[in-house]
Amino acid sequence: MQTSRFTLLYRNFANNIYSKPLSRNRFIHKAFFHATKKILQTSGAPAPAPAEGYLPGVAQSKFIKSTQEEALKNSELMNTGVANGETKKMNMFQAINDAMGIALTTDETAVIFGEDVAFGGVFRCTLGLAEMFGRDRVFNTPLSEQGIVGFGIGMAAVGHTAIAEIQFADYIFPAFDQLVNEAAKYRYRSGGLFNVGGLTVRSPCSAVGHGGHYHSQSPEAYFTHTPGLIVVMPRSPIQAKGLLLASIRDRNPVIFLEPKILYRAAVEEVPVGDYELPLGKAEILKSGKDVTVVGYGSQLYTLENAIKLAEKDIPGLSCELIDLRSLSPWDVDTVANSVNKTGRLVISHEAPQTSGFAAEVATSIMERCFLRLEAPIQRVCGLDTPFPLIFEKFYVPDMTKCYDAIKEVVNY
Amino acid sequence: MLSSITSRLSRNISVFNGRSFVRQFASASAETVNIKLPESSFKTYKCDPPSLDIEVTKDELLRLYKEMAVMRRMETAADGLYKSKMIRGFCHLCTGQEAVAVGMEAAITEDDAIITAYRCHGFTYVRGGTIHSILAELMGRKAGISRGKGGSMHMFSKNFYGGNGIVGAQVPVGTGVAFTQKYLEKKNATFILYGDGAANQGQVFEAFNMAKLWDLPAIFVCENNFFGMGTAAGRSSANAQYYTRGQYIPGLQVNGMDVLAVKQACSWAKNWTTNDQGPLVLEMVTYRYGGHSMSDPGTSYRTREEIQHMRSTKDPITGLRQRILELGFSTDDEIKKLEKEARAVVEEAVAEAQKEPQPDESEIFTNIYAKGTEPPIIRGREREEFAVMNQ
Ligand SMILES: Cc1ncc(C[n+]2csc(CCOP(=O)(O)OP(=O)(O)O)c2C)c(N)n1
Ligand SMILES: [Mg+2]
């Protein structure tokens, strides 16, 4: 019985993929297309897969600021002193590097540590910083996540700025106790005598096309479930720089999750100066009147494409897309205001659905906007399975699934 | 190498009843020689070293040789398949470290247990995984040893508890395995492998303490290949003498590039632990020729000369070949033939594995919970099913 269900499910994928409007659309998720085709060949050797590791198509996104004018036309930059300043082409890992360089320049107590960070780290985010600031400020640690985070907590408790890198978000779990019990509760349990506000833990997260079980997970909800922690996930170079600087300087411990597939996905004109973007504030990326679509990190680009397709297929439809940016605290007001206007909400993230962050958003909005809702809130999330190696394209909440959900709330 | 083998080689033909055909048969297979390992094979910590005398047969040496040769071919094939994008994900090869897996397996029985980290293809092979199933797993095929669901870092077989991707996590897990052996009063041991980098995870020390506290047949084996990704052992470890890091656990450093030294050490260790003497820490001094994983060329943190030097002076396969030649067990041509066979076996497995289909899509939802105990719906499925039902 199960098998036939899956055959159906599978055909549905195939139908969706090959149906006219989709295959005509130039925004079709290429990798998904490819994987589906691969799986369609039930026997024989599948063709080798294309190069991956970055998200194709992000560079063409409307949300990528590829000119100086676009980059600086941002109300959040108005009071930061970089509004009229210089910009430089950077992709996300360079913008993160730039932010850390500024943090070390402006704060004498700031240090960076983690596995192989003095060599630049796996994703090159700390490239050149050891040379620039010295090995006593940018240093390699042993392979010891619990140790790394605990050590950072100690430094931060004294008042120093500790910027720790956990090589992959999947390896943050050995440090789970330190984050959840020590970092998050230091202020509370010392009655305010101590705090670890100077601690920022950066870690690359989410799918990368071929990462499998231990190089793909999105653990944000484990941490948003922990009062005392700030959780942030940026979507682009400009965002990453401003949010990271704010995170490093924020007086609470911050977990800064960087979608690794975005590190080299697109270049923006990033202000070279020192600026922060607000934590706890969502950003409306595209305004619309019919459906509120909420996401964060790399999922926003999938949502952008899904919206594009839905708006094309359903004449007159206009969707509002919101980037949460911070997940804890998160900006309920911006989302609630939007849903009060649209009456429909679709939330999407890559992490599994059950107890995922979308559940939190859905409940809060249901509480705030119950009478305004025109359709059940939809969650489009990763499947409730371990993150698969070869079934990644089926696991992720891809454009087709997001498109379906938008259609569903519209047609309800 | 020559000096390492005593001139007092006792060539005794063990199966010999005077009839010439038996003698011929014997010399072709079961001739035993006593080899003396070099003094430098072992260094001890709080224990006496294993004997340097090891008795081997021609058959066994040729088998060890072939296993290492096949293993290297298999990894070379994986390298090629990765580069042609047939293998996805993270892939860690054990080229250079073959003697550890092969020597260890030669010393134990299939009732002993092994657990290791992600550099696991070689161990999977010696633990009975076929080359076909290993390559199929690497390529994410249904015929893979983990049904195509694990990939490079997640391979398992009988009494082989993986293939574990989280650095250090396998060490307390292996300690639990060892406990069951003691609990069931089995004369078996668990070999728990981890790297020089992993040696710094707190879990390793927690496991040491439990194993000693309860005198478990746990043999902690640090494969010291001098690097944890790009970090040299001396830069990550306050004490890089890994065999001494058990503090209250006796230790032995072993030349991990000599398959016979590894075998001798593992036999000794098994004997030690199964006689209720408690755990041991072995340090296998070895070397990986390639990068940490396929995305690391492996030359930015060490020189090409260093790699070349290790290859030309320490290689476990070349070392054993010389030993075999010196013993007169085989001619160069015969060894070349073995090499050829190894290549052929692997080439065939590559060709066959490539023909295997991918797992069924229904496998997305299997093996998460025990069969029959799955939640009625796995969240994330309803959307698609809804869409299907409405077609
Ligand atoms: C908890 C955890 N942290 C980090 C990693 C990333 N990582 C994988 S292997 C490795 C180096 C391990 O070195 P070592 O233990 O010496 O083993 P080797 O690779 O040399 O076999 C690192 C840092 C991981 N897999 N798990
Ligand atoms: Mg190592």
Side-chain angles (χ1 to χ4, degrees):
Chain A
M1 179 201 139
Q2 240 194 4
T3 326
S4 62
R5 267 187 167 189
F6 284 114
T7 317
L8 274 175
L9 154 64
Y10 169 54
R11 265 195 222 124
N12 182 46
F13 272 122
N15 284 343
N16 273 342
I17 271 309
Y18 291 116
S19 70
K20 273 266 166 70
L22 273 167
S23 52
R24 257 192 283 115
N25 192 286
R26 78 189 169 91
F27 288 99
I28 188 150
H29 199 311
K30 278 232 182 71
F32 177 76
F33 186 64
H34 185 92
T36 310
K37 245 174 52 186
K38 226 164 86 173
I39 291 185
L40 281 173
Q41 309 167 335
T42 42
S43 65
E52 280 170 348
Y54 66 92
L55 191 60
V58 175
Q60 285 81 48
S61 166
K62 282 240 159 50
F63 312 136
I64 290 294
K65 319 277 187 223
S66 43
T67 67
Q68 187 177 50
E69 197 193 338
E70 283 174 316
L72 298 178
K73 203 175 66 195
N74 176 345
S75 60
E76 288 179 339
L77 293 180
M78 283 313 155
N79 308 319
T80 64
V82 299
N84 302 310
E86 202 188 325
T87 62
K88 203 178 144 200
K89 283 196 184 337
M90 294 182 205
N91 57 31
M92 200 172 87
F93 86 88
Q94 291 163 326
I96 287 167
N97 181 284
D98 196 46
M100 286 191 280
I102 291 172
L104 262 59
T105 307
T106 54
D107 176 355
E108 275 185 0
T109 71
V111 298
I112 298 172
F113 51 93
E115 290 157 21
D116 284 0
V117 296
F119 307 141
V122 168
F123 293 101
R124 321 313 287 149
C125 291
T126 50
L127 196 69
L129 295 177
E131 289 72 15
M132 205 181 307
F133 295 96
R135 296 246 166 177
D136 52 340
R137 297 191 70 194
V138 181
F139 51 91
N140 292 336
T141 63
L143 231 169
S144 174
E145 286 75 12
Q146 186 175 19
I148 292 169
V149 173
F151 174 84
I153 290 172
M155 287 180 46
V158 178
H160 286 228
T161 298
I163 307 169
E165 176 177 295
I166 297 295
Q167 200 171 63
F168 281 83
D170 312 66
Y171 311 150
I172 209 164
F173 300 115
F176 201 58
D177 168 66
Q178 287 292 348
L179 289 165
V180 171
N181 282 330
E182 319 314 321
K185 301 173 180 52
Y186 219 127
R187 189 189 313 266
Y188 186 83
R189 65 200 169 87
S190 69
L193 180 60
F194 289 111
N195 72 81
V196 292
L199 176 70
T200 303
V201 178
R202 296 177 37 247
S203 194
C205 69
S206 306
V208 66
H210 57 260
H213 324 328
Y214 294 161
H215 293 93
S216 310
Q217 296 173 83
S218 302
E220 64 273 12
Y222 291 105
F223 300 109
T224 58
H225 194 59
T226 303
L229 296 178
I230 305 286
V231 182
V232 180
M233 199 188 291
R235 69 164 188 275
S236 76
I238 295 175
Q239 291 291 312
K241 179 174 172 183
L243 289 170
L244 181 55
L245 273 166
S247 298
I248 292 169
R249 292 163 179 169
D250 187 83
R251 291 295 88 204
N252 296 291
V254 180
I255 296 181
F256 192 83
L257 296 168
E258 303 163 0
K260 62 179 87 71
I261 204 161
L262 297 181
Y263 279 135
R264 290 155 195 277
V267 169
E268 283 191 322
E269 282 291 342
V270 180
V272 295
D274 185 347
Y275 67 95
E276 293 173 27
L277 292 173
L279 303 182
K281 268 273 349 92
E283 184 182 352
I284 299 172
L285 296 183
K286 169 187 179 307
S287 29
K289 57 180 181 27
D290 305 311
V291 182
T292 302
V293 180
V294 171
Y296 48 86
S298 45
Q299 189 60 17
L300 291 161
Y301 302 99
T302 305
L303 290 170
E304 180 187 16
N305 288 339
I307 289 173
K308 211 154 222 155
L309 191 60
E311 289 182 346
K312 203 168 154 195
D313 280 2
I314 306 171
L317 175 73
S318 93
C319 301
E320 181 145 304
L321 180 59
I322 299 178
D323 176 6
L324 288 180
R325 305 195 287 187
S326 296
L327 304 178
S328 179
W330 69 283
D331 188 351
V332 197
D333 291 342
T334 297
V335 180
N337 289 344
S338 172
V339 176
N340 278 333
K341 174 177 68 178
T342 63
R344 298 177 188 88
L345 176 60
V346 173
I347 316 151
S348 180
H349 57 61
E350 225 177 84
Q353 175 159 313
T354 299
S355 303
F357 196 70
E360 181 57 38
V361 177
T363 313
S364 303
I365 294 306
M366 187 272 291
E367 287 163 357
R368 294 263 208 120
C369 314
F370 185 65
L371 293 176
R372 283 288 305 128
L373 286 173
E374 304 278 354
I377 297 170
Q378 295 294 319
R379 288 179 287 168
V380 194
C381 306
L383 303 182
D384 278 351
T385 73
F387 198 103
L389 176 60
I390 70 157
F391 292 124
E392 174 168 330
K393 297 304 188 298
F394 285 160
Y395 168 93
V396 293
D398 60 65
M399 181 185 68
T400 317
K401 295 183 198 173
C402 296
Y403 165 87
D404 266 6
I406 294 170
K407 250 178 128 164
E408 215 164 284
V409 292
V410 172
N411 295 337
Y412 184 78
Chain B
M1 190 59 65
L2 238 185
S3 65
S4 71
I5 303 163
T6 59
S7 46
R8 299 176 280 108
L9 282 183
S10 57
R11 283 184 171 255
N12 40 41
I13 294 147
S14 56
V15 191
F16 179 47
N17 65 5
R19 293 203 315 243
S20 62
F21 80 89
V22 175
R23 192 179 192 286
Q24 268 177 7
F25 172 73
S27 67
S29 60
E31 184 177 352
T32 63
V33 291
N34 188 23
I35 292 174
K36 198 164 194 74
L37 298 170
E39 294 275 352
S40 60
S41 297
F42 306 123
K43 268 200 218 163
T44 59
Y45 173 69
K46 292 191 174 174
C47 61
D48 292 328
S51 161
L52 292 173
D53 293 307
I54 177 167
E55 203 163 78
V56 292
T57 65
K58 169 180 174 177
D59 247 15
E60 181 175 23
L61 287 192
L62 292 180
R63 186 170 49 76
L64 296 178
Y65 186 85
K66 186 149 179 203
E67 278 178 12
M68 290 198 288
V70 166
M71 197 176 284
R72 185 162 296 179
R73 282 281 164 199
M74 184 175 80
E75 294 294 63
T76 309
D79 182 81
L81 288 168
Y82 194 96
K83 286 176 180 149
S84 59
K85 300 208 163 68
M86 300 296 289
I87 295 175
R88 322 299 319 287
F90 290 69
C91 180
H92 310 80
L93 306 180
C94 67
T95 309
Q97 305 184 199
E98 295 88 351
V100 178
V102 171
M104 180 177 293
E105 186 64 31
I108 63 177
T109 74
E110 55 168 40
D111 294 326
D112 294 304
I114 295 182
I115 187 167
T116 187
Y118 43 84
R119 207 175 293 287
C120 65
H121 312 164
F123 283 99
T124 311
Y125 171 63
V126 298
R127 288 264 95 183
T130 63
I131 309 164
H132 179 92
S133 71
I134 293 168
L135 293 173
E137 187 58 44
L138 287 171
M139 290 187 279
R141 307 301 165 85
K142 194 174 172 173
I145 197 158
S146 301
R147 303 165 71 163
K149 295 171 81 166
S152 168
M153 306 195 286
H154 310 276
M155 298 186 185
F156 305 80
S157 67
K158 188 183 168 211
N159 283 322
F160 175 52
Y161 292 87
N164 293 275
I166 300 301
V167 168
Q170 76 279 15
V171 182
V173 174
T175 309
V177 173
F179 175 82
T180 66
Q181 292 167 328
K182 178 159 178 156
Y183 187 84
L184 298 172
E185 295 180 359
K186 285 189 178 162
K187 283 283 177 210
N188 291 112
T190 302
F191 289 77
I192 304 161
L193 292 113
Y194 55 96
D196 49 286
N200 298 313
Q201 285 283 14
Q203 310 196 43
V204 173
F205 298 92
E206 297 176 27
F208 283 176
N209 185 50
M210 287 191 274
K212 185 66 183 176
L213 194 61
W214 301 318
D215 269 344
L216 304 180
I219 299 161
F220 300 99
V221 187
C222 178
E223 275 187 282
N224 178 6
N225 58 13
F226 296 99
F227 293 95
M229 295 186 87
T231 303
R235 290 176 184 270
S236 71
S237 303
N239 171 7
Q241 304 288 306
Y242 294 97
Y243 66 110
T244 67
R245 291 184 95 185
Q247 188 196 1
Y248 39 75
I249 302 179
L252 183 74
Q253 190 188 59
V254 183
N255 174 7
M257 297 302 259
D258 177 355
V259 69
L260 295 181
V262 173
K263 183 188 169 195
Q264 186 79 335
C266 292
S267 306
W268 169 85
K270 179 179 167 182
N271 197 44
W272 173 292
T273 51
T274 52
N275 280 317
D276 254 344
Q277 287 173 274
L280 284 170
V281 175
L282 306 186
E283 174 187 348
M284 298 289 173
V285 181
T286 181
Y287 200 77
R288 82 168 138 72
Y289 295 159
H292 165 72
S293 70
M294 298 306 301
S295 49
D296 167 27
T299 47
S300 60
Y301 44 84
R302 55 183 186 178
T303 61
R304 282 179 202 281
E305 289 69 45
E306 176 183 312
I307 304 170
Q308 203 39 51
H309 176 76
M310 293 306 266
R311 262 185 188 277
S312 56
T313 62
K314 296 273 173 28
D315 187 66
I317 300 182
T318 313
L320 185 59
R321 169 201 285 250
Q322 268 173 25
R323 195 164 246 165
I324 290 172
L325 291 176
E326 280 158 12
L327 287 168
F329 274 172
S330 259
T331 64
D332 225 5
D333 283 348
E334 284 166 332
I335 292 194
K336 285 214 179 90
K337 203 171 135 239
L338 267 187
E339 288 277 2
K340 245 190 170 153
E341 279 167 25
R343 187 183 331 154
V345 168
V346 172
E347 273 172 8
E348 193 191 323
V350 170
E352 290 301 313
Q354 277 181 316
K355 288 188 210 144
E356 296 290 352
Q358 291 194 325
D360 302 331
E361 58 273 21
S362 62
E363 290 274 7
I364 296 175
F365 299 106
T366 60
N367 304 126
I368 301 170
Y369 293 98
K371 250 205 171 97
T373 70
E374 301 96 340
I377 46 161
I378 294 186
R379 300 283 198 114
R381 273 172 50 180
E382 311 97 302
R383 162 159 309 289
E384 292 76 12
E385 285 168 354
F386 184 79
V388 172
M389 287 180 311
N390 280 295
Q391 265 182 3

